[in-house]
Amino acid sequence: MTVAELLARTDARELAEWAAYERYAGPLGPAYRDEALAAIHEQLQRLNRIQGAAHFTDKKHRKNPAPEPKPYPRPREVFRREEDDEEDGTTE
């Protein structure tokens, strides 16, 4: 469907409702894939951190070369503003 067809078929109220829904629930589309890839990304970060701790925390190497894992943004968090995160207490 083209933009012209979309605008001809739906009114401003319905478009606003869909925009609000996407802001609440995240973008419409392949959400399962995005969630799975985010979880895999976080797991790889954790594994790298664990391997770094196992191999580089002897007397010669005191610091783990792998950085602390950071949460990967989920589809529902794409449209979140920083002010919202600060209110929730989720900002580092």
Side-chain angles (χ1 to χ4, degrees):
M1 176 184 313
T2 66
V3 174
E5 290 175 12
L6 175 70
L7 294 175
R9 292 180 186 185
T10 53
D11 60 352
R13 180 181 172 153
E14 186 176 356
L15 288 174
E17 288 175 359
W18 280 111
Y21 178 79
E22 281 194 331
R23 285 186 185 270
Y24 170 75
L28 298 175
Y32 177 79
R33 181 196 66 203
D34 295 342
E35 184 73 29
L37 289 174
I40 291 169
H41 184 271
E42 290 175 352
Q43 187 66 25
L44 286 173
Q45 286 183 349
R46 282 192 223 82
L47 289 173
N48 286 336
R49 182 79 176 158
I50 291 168
Q51 281 186 327
H55 294 292
F56 295 102
T57 54
D58 55 2
K59 292 181 181 180
K60 185 177 178 184
H61 305 94
R62 293 278 180 194
K63 189 170 186 253
N64 189 340
E68 283 288 328
K70 295 181 181 175
Y72 195 83
R74 298 303 202 264
R76 65 185 173 277
E77 299 169 340
V78 171
F79 292 120
R80 291 189 83 167
R81 296 180 303 201
E82 291 183 21
E83 301 92 48
D84 295 341
D85 292 342
E86 290 171 1
E87 290 173 7
D88 296 344
T90 56
T91 302
E92 295 178 4

